[in-house]
Amino acid sequence: VALGDRIKLGDYVLLYLDLERRWLAQVGEGSFHTHVGVVALEALEGLEYGSPIYTSLGRRLWVLKPTVEDFVMKSERRTQIVYPKDGGLILVKAGLGPGDRVLEIGTGSGALTTIMANVVRPDGHIYTYEVRREFLEMARRNIARLGLEPYVTFHLSDAKAGVEERDVDLCVVDIGDPWEVVGVVRKALKGGGVFVGVTPTVNQLERLVEALRSAGFVAIESVELLARKLEARAGRTRPATRMIGHTAYLTFARSTLEEE
Ligand SMILES: C[S@@+](CC[C@H](N)C(=O)[O-])C[C@H]1O[C@@H](n2cnc3c(N)ncnc32)[C@H](O)[C@@H]1O
């Protein structure tokens, strides 16, 4: 194992007992308390990912490298967030990749910001707008845990009043009244750029789609993704009885240039 692959001071690790019991911990001084015992955080330094570590009660935890999903689902949250299943489709429908520039309206807890910043780096950038300072600061803390701050510019500002950015590849809007920023977004997007709207209710979706049509957007599609977990056990595999029944509706569209 190369030295760089070993766990360093300051790294975040996932301490995994089972799917319901897994914790994100930062390697450093002190100890991490769980109901299956205490882990000395210094003991993690220098380990290889995939190693076992034993708690003070002798329970074995696996030390895993956290994925973006782990960070997002374990982040500080005080708003609705974009869930990994929805974030995944957004990335593919937008064709997002390294070097892309993204305008995001409604930073919230920064879950989607995290998912996108991880993909556009090292040369791309996310410009994100948030009206509430406490949410912006929370999102900044969440994003810092992955070391993604260099790829994100935070604006504490109401996007309805306009945005600074122009010629962006993608614009994602996740606010309560997205139709109010359709004009702002159209000016910011490059010709053919991708628009994504995230709305919790069909009423918001409908109003957004009408505004997109009036503003000359094309290829307008709305979708809902349902992710159902399966409990796989030899001879009796079946869907889980509980599921998250609703997260958000996604609306995709493409921007066009004015006709001559
Ligand atoms: C549902 S949250 C966004 C969640 C985010 N997509 C995530 O994954 O964590 C919506 C956020 O938009 C912010 N917001 C609402 N109207 C806004 C506006 N006009 N300009 C900027 N931010 C706004 C709210 O304060 C709130 O934090």
Side-chain angles (χ1 to χ4, degrees):
V1 180
L3 207 58
D5 294 338
R6 300 228 176 229
I7 295 167
K8 300 183 295 298
L9 215 64
D11 283 351
Y12 279 89
V13 298
L14 190 73
L15 299 174
Y16 181 92
L17 180 66
D18 57 36
L19 281 172
E20 276 70 48
R21 294 172 293 179
R22 43 184 165 167
W23 303 273
L24 202 55
Q26 190 175 23
V27 182
E29 286 172 17
S31 39
F32 191 84
H33 293 255
T34 76
H35 60 278
V36 294
V38 177
V39 174
L41 288 170
E42 290 132 329
L44 295 162
E45 193 185 350
L47 286 183
E48 229 181 295
Y49 285 109
S51 302
I53 190 149
Y54 294 87
T55 71
S56 54
L57 298 177
R59 293 295 292 273
R60 185 190 60 201
L61 304 178
W62 294 106
V63 184
L64 305 180
K65 187 169 188 161
T67 63
V68 168
E69 180 183 35
D70 296 320
F71 277 109
V72 164
M73 296 313 287
K74 298 281 182 200
S75 62
E76 194 186 334
R77 285 195 243 169
R78 278 192 280 151
T79 65
Q80 272 297 338
I81 63 160
V82 167
Y83 277 75
K85 72 172 169 79
D86 296 318
L89 186 66
I90 292 172
L91 294 182
V92 175
K93 292 283 278 185
L96 208 65
D100 283 343
R101 294 172 62 247
V102 179
L103 167 67
E104 181 184 41
I105 299 179
T107 315
S109 308
L112 184 58
T113 324
T114 302
I115 292 170
M116 297 192 296
N118 184 50
V119 165
V120 302
R121 65 177 165 171
D123 299 321
H125 206 84
I126 316 293
Y127 303 88
T128 188
Y129 284 73
E130 173 55 56
V131 275
R132 292 186 51 181
R133 183 181 295 275
E134 68 272 29
F135 292 163
L136 188 148
E137 294 307 333
M138 172 183 50
R140 204 195 286 277
R141 286 193 296 277
N142 284 334
I143 286 157
R145 296 203 301 182
L146 294 88
L148 291 171
E149 322 92 290
Y151 316 109
V152 182
T153 297
F154 293 90
H155 292 285
L156 179 62
S157 152
D158 185 338
K160 287 180 203 165
V163 297
E164 288 171 21
E165 293 72 24
R166 290 292 178 267
D167 285 325
V168 300
D169 300 283
L170 167 66
C171 177
V172 186
V173 179
D174 184 3
I175 63 174
D177 47 3
W179 50 86
E180 295 287 351
V181 295
V182 164
V184 167
V185 163
R186 181 133 197 257
K187 265 198 233 157
L189 273 173
K190 54 166 72 156
V194 177
F195 170 90
V196 180
V198 180
T199 48
T201 72
V202 282
N203 314 69
Q204 289 161 305
L205 180 160
E206 188 180 88
R207 205 160 159 191
L208 170 62
V209 166
E210 288 304 322
L212 289 168
R213 277 196 192 115
S214 310
F217 280 83
V218 297
I220 304 171
E221 289 180 272
S222 296
V223 301
E224 176 183 20
L225 282 181
L226 303 178
R228 189 166 66 163
K229 289 192 177 167
L230 292 176
E231 288 173 2
R233 284 185 229 103
R236 51 190 179 104
T237 295
R238 60 165 180 80
T241 37
R242 289 164 191 265
M243 72 183 278
I244 296 174
H246 179 60
T247 56
Y249 301 109
L250 303 177
T251 295
F252 299 94
R254 304 294 296 273
S255 172
T256 54
L257 297 174
E258 300 283 348
E259 279 177 292
E260 291 299 311

